[in-house]
Amino acid sequence: MHCFITGTDTDCGKTLVTLGFMQLCLERGLKTTGMKPVAAGALRTRDGLLNPDALAIQGLSNPRLSYKAVNPYCFEPAVAPHLAAKLADVCIDLDEIDRQYRQLCKSHDAVIVEGAGGWKVPLNDKQDMAEMCRRLDLPVVLVVGLRLGCINHALLSMDAILASGRPLLGWIANHVDANMSLAEDNIQTLKQRIKAPLLGRIPRLDQANAETVATYLSLPALC
């Protein structure tokens, strides 16, 4: 089980889905980890910069991994990755990300890779998240944050993923706006138009954790 988690935008629930898929893989008895190659938005600690989402992924990984193995590029400001990297005078190197991903594949049966932002978010002057996914040769799961405007964002993301030559395994509907009008109608519209199965619907959760999220998800049929 190896896949890439992308989303319609930032804060749409990619980490929730990553943790949920990890939990499902662990329940199957698979050696499982997640990887968040690039994280922008971190806390300064005695152990260096640490991103909360990457820490959650590290905490669920089994066998246990170092933080750096899960999150090789971590930046303090919560801005676009290429801008955060420039502020830190760092160039995000896809060769290094690919090398670390291959190492994880040697020690784990399942590796769930979470992107940052959406599908076309830049990483450096020439490369973006789509190029990272192509480099890692991963199929994609799209997380749709259910809010006003999500239909357009979801369909544009689908078109871009397919145009990149990556298989779209499925999509997840995540209720980020609990008060969204006609949420069910939006989901039905997307089911008719997204060329991949709906793999789960995550309600608005006050206290989300991997075990709870996993109950709302199904692993892709390919897995």
Side-chain angles (χ1 to χ4, degrees), residues 5-15 36 114-121 142-154 157 174 176:
I5 308 297
T6 192
T8 45
D9 49 16
T10 192
D11 293 329
C12 66
K14 294 185 299 296
T15 301
K36 191 174 178 70
E114 180 191 340
W119 182 248
K120 296 296 291 182
V121 167
L142 174 64
V143 181
V144 178
L146 291 178
R147 55 168 69 102
L148 185 63
C150 68
I151 292 176
N152 183 60
H153 293 162
S157 296
N174 182 34
V176 295

Side-chain angles (χ1 to χ4, degrees), residues 36 38-42 51 71 73-81 84 116:
K36 191 174 178 70
V38 180
N51 173 266
N71 178 209
Y73 288 98
C74 187
F75 305 105
E76 185 172 10
V79 298

Side-chain angles (χ1 to χ4, degrees), residues 37-38 73 75 81-82 85 90-94 97 122-124 127 132:
V38 180
Y73 288 98
F75 305 105
H82 71 299
V90 170
C91 181
I92 297 172
D93 185 354
L94 291 191
I97 291 172
L123 294 172
N124 52 45
Q127 297 166 314
M132 177 196 293

Side-chain angles (χ1 to χ4, degrees), residues 162-175:
L162 297 177
S164 297
R166 293 289 83 210
L168 181 60
L169 295 179
W171 64 286
I172 309 292
N174 182 34
H175 290 256

